[in-house]
Every structure is written in structure tokens, then in C-alpha cells.
Amino acid sequence: MSDSALKDRIQTAVKEAMRSGDRSRLGVLRLITAAMKQHEVDQRTDLTDDDVTALLSKMVKQRHESIEQYRAANRDDLAKKEEYELTVLQEFLPQPLTDDEVGELIDQAIAESGAESIRDMGKVMGLLKPRLQGRADMGKASAQLKARLNG
């Protein structure tokens, strides 16, 4: 067993996809495992669940951007492929937070850091990032934080 239960779940899913003959799912899972191995080689370290979540979040963001570009270019065939990959990737991410839950975490981080103005935004984001990683859109959370610190 590795340090990451999430990594183990993905490797089990690869084996299941191989047994069931689900080639498209297996392809996506192999993309994930290749990205994990590349990260481990580059960083010379074993992945933790947080590392895997960050990696999956990055892959999800890439899929969203690709889907947008393919739709704009009227390439629905490619967009559908990316959407399928997106659904497989999201299976391994934690349950997304609601806007209210993100707001509560922002309020907690502001209170913990003692932030009073926009100048303290970096300090608050430092606390928020690990709590929101893979569970919320960091861009939206950043905008929400900025609005609270300005207002």
C-alpha cells in the first residue's frame, strides 16, 4: 500500500476497467496514473492524497478549458470525449462544496488569520487553499474573499 488511499483507489479502478474491458475508461485512468508517476519522478517523492487531489484538480481544469475551446470551434465530438474524461476524473475528487460552505470556510480563514484588508489576502488564501483544493473553484473563492475583504 502507498501513502495515498486515493492513489490506491485509482489503481484498483484501472484493474477493474481492464477486467471489464472498458477501454475508454481505462484510457482515462491510464492518463491519471501516468500523470501521478510523472509527478513522483519529477518531485522524487511518493504522492499523498493532497498531491493526487491537486493533480486531479489540475486535470479537471484542463478539461473544462478544452471543452470550452472545442465548443467554440464547433468540435462537439472532441468536446464529448473531454466531457467523458471529466466525469471519470471527478469520480476521484472529494464532494464539491456548496457556495455557502465555501463562504463559511472563508469566514473561518479570515478570523484565523486576523485579516482586515485586501493586503491580507495572501495570508488568507494560504489557509484556504488546502481546505478547498479539489472541492471548490479557487478563482470563485478568491473573488468571494476579495469582496469580503474590500467590503
Side-chain angles (χ1 to χ4, degrees), residues 70-116:
Y70 289 143
R71 293 259 185 255
N74 291 322
R75 291 297 309 264
D76 287 340
D77 55 328
L78 295 174
K80 281 184 179 24
K81 180 181 179 289
E82 295 286 322
E83 286 169 346
Y84 176 74
E85 290 180 7
L86 188 59
T87 59
V88 175
L89 289 166
Q90 289 174 329
E91 284 177 39
F92 299 100
L93 285 172
Q95 197 64 30
L97 295 169
T98 64
D99 288 343
D100 291 342
E101 290 170 324
V102 172
E104 287 174 27
L105 287 172
I106 289 172
D107 290 341
Q108 288 172 7
I110 290 171
E112 282 176 39
S113 67
E116 295 175 6

Side-chain angles (χ1 to χ4, degrees):
M1 283 302 211
S2 69
D3 293 340
S4 170
L6 187 53
K7 182 178 169 186
D8 293 337
R9 254 183 65 208
I10 292 167
Q11 289 169 336
T12 301
V14 168
K15 292 173 192 166
E16 289 169 1
M18 288 172 81
R19 281 189 205 108
S20 70
D22 189 342
R23 295 178 75 163
S24 41
R25 180 173 170 78
L26 181 60
V28 179
L29 293 169
R30 284 187 171 155
L31 283 174
I32 297 169
T33 56
M36 290 189 309
K37 284 178 185 162
Q38 184 65 51
H39 188 275
E40 286 178 331
V41 168
D42 291 348
Q43 302 298 319
R44 292 190 174 100
T45 180
D46 287 333
L47 291 171
T48 63
D49 276 348
D50 288 342
D51 295 331
V52 176
T53 299
L55 196 82
L56 291 171
S57 296
K58 183 178 177 186
M59 293 175 83
V60 163
K61 184 178 179 189
Q62 290 168 339
R63 297 307 175 285
H64 280 296
E65 291 168 359
S66 296
I67 290 167
E68 213 173 277
Q69 291 172 355
Y70 289 143
R71 293 259 185 255
N74 291 322
R75 291 297 309 264
D76 287 340
D77 55 328
L78 295 174
K80 281 184 179 24
K81 180 181 179 289
E82 295 286 322
E83 286 169 346
Y84 176 74
E85 290 180 7
L86 188 59
T87 59
V88 175
L89 289 166
Q90 289 174 329
E91 284 177 39
F92 299 100
L93 285 172
Q95 197 64 30
L97 295 169
T98 64
D99 288 343
D100 291 342
E101 290 170 324
V102 172
E104 287 174 27
L105 287 172
I106 289 172
D107 290 341
Q108 288 172 7
I110 290 171
E112 282 176 39
S113 67
E116 295 175 6
S117 72
I118 199 73
R119 285 178 290 182
D120 301 318
M121 190 161 167
K123 196 181 347 176
V124 179
M125 283 304 288
L127 291 172
L128 275 178
K129 193 168 184 181
R131 298 173 190 176
L132 299 179
Q133 188 72 49
R135 300 183 69 200
D137 181 331
M138 291 305 290
K140 286 182 184 174
S142 177
Q144 210 175 342
L145 172 61
K146 188 181 270 187
R148 290 210 170 127
L149 291 176
N150 276 335

